[in-house]
Amino acid sequence: QVQLVESGGGLVQPGGSLRLSCAASGITFRIYTMNWYRQAPGKQRELVATIISAGGTNYADNVKGRFTISRDNDKDTAYLQMNSLKPEDTAVYYCNAKYSLNIYWGQGTQVTVSS
């Protein structure tokens, strides 16, 4: 049984910070590429950040310099540190794990940036 469980979402003021966590079970976590996606109301789901098994990262242009993706293979957990948050970052954030043909999704966690 594969499970990805996100946590850390919530309400934050513009300019604030949040750290999202994605705890994985049922997979060989260290070999998986981990991704964070987000979907705002009425918008298409977009890829926010990627971290491969060797540790290399990629970011969407609109979060580069503000967000940091990381992973702790000893804890089977991926993270998304979000700084300098803007109202346009408001979305449901989804954790995703990929290896070969295997793709798994978490249920999502709401992030709301508002004053």
Side-chain angles (χ1 to χ4, degrees):
Q1 67 287 1
V2 176
Q3 201 169 11
L4 302 177
V5 179
E6 300 99 331
S7 62
L11 175 64
V12 64
Q13 294 183 0
S17 297
L18 284 174
R19 188 180 75 158
L20 306 183
S21 298
C22 173
S25 59
I27 62 172
T28 307
F29 179 83
R30 59 178 170 78
I31 70 172
Y32 273 72
T33 292
M34 301 300 297
N35 307 284
W36 287 97
Y37 289 78
R38 69 186 182 187
Q39 189 165 27
K43 305 295 183 182
Q44 194 169 351
R45 187 173 299 187
E46 64 176 345
L47 178 62
V48 174
T50 294
I51 184 165
I52 63 172
S53 60
T57 59
N58 289 101
Y59 300 91
D61 287 341
N62 55 1
V63 308
K64 198 169 299 180
R66 300 187 298 120
F67 290 11
T68 303
I69 188 171
S70 61
R71 66 193 297 156
D72 186 339
N73 289 339
D74 292 330
K75 297 182 177 181
D76 288 0
T77 301
Y79 304 93
L80 186 68
Q81 178 67 47
M82 304 184 293
N83 299 325
S84 302
L85 282 161
K86 305 174 180 180
E88 51 262 46
D89 296 317
T90 296
V92 177
Y93 284 71
Y94 297 92
C95 180
N96 165 277
K98 289 185 179 180
Y99 178 74
S100 187
L101 298 178
N102 302 111
I103 304 174
Y104 302 104
W105 291 91
Q107 290 297 307
T109 185
Q110 175 70 230
V111 171
T112 302
V113 184
S114 176
S115 58

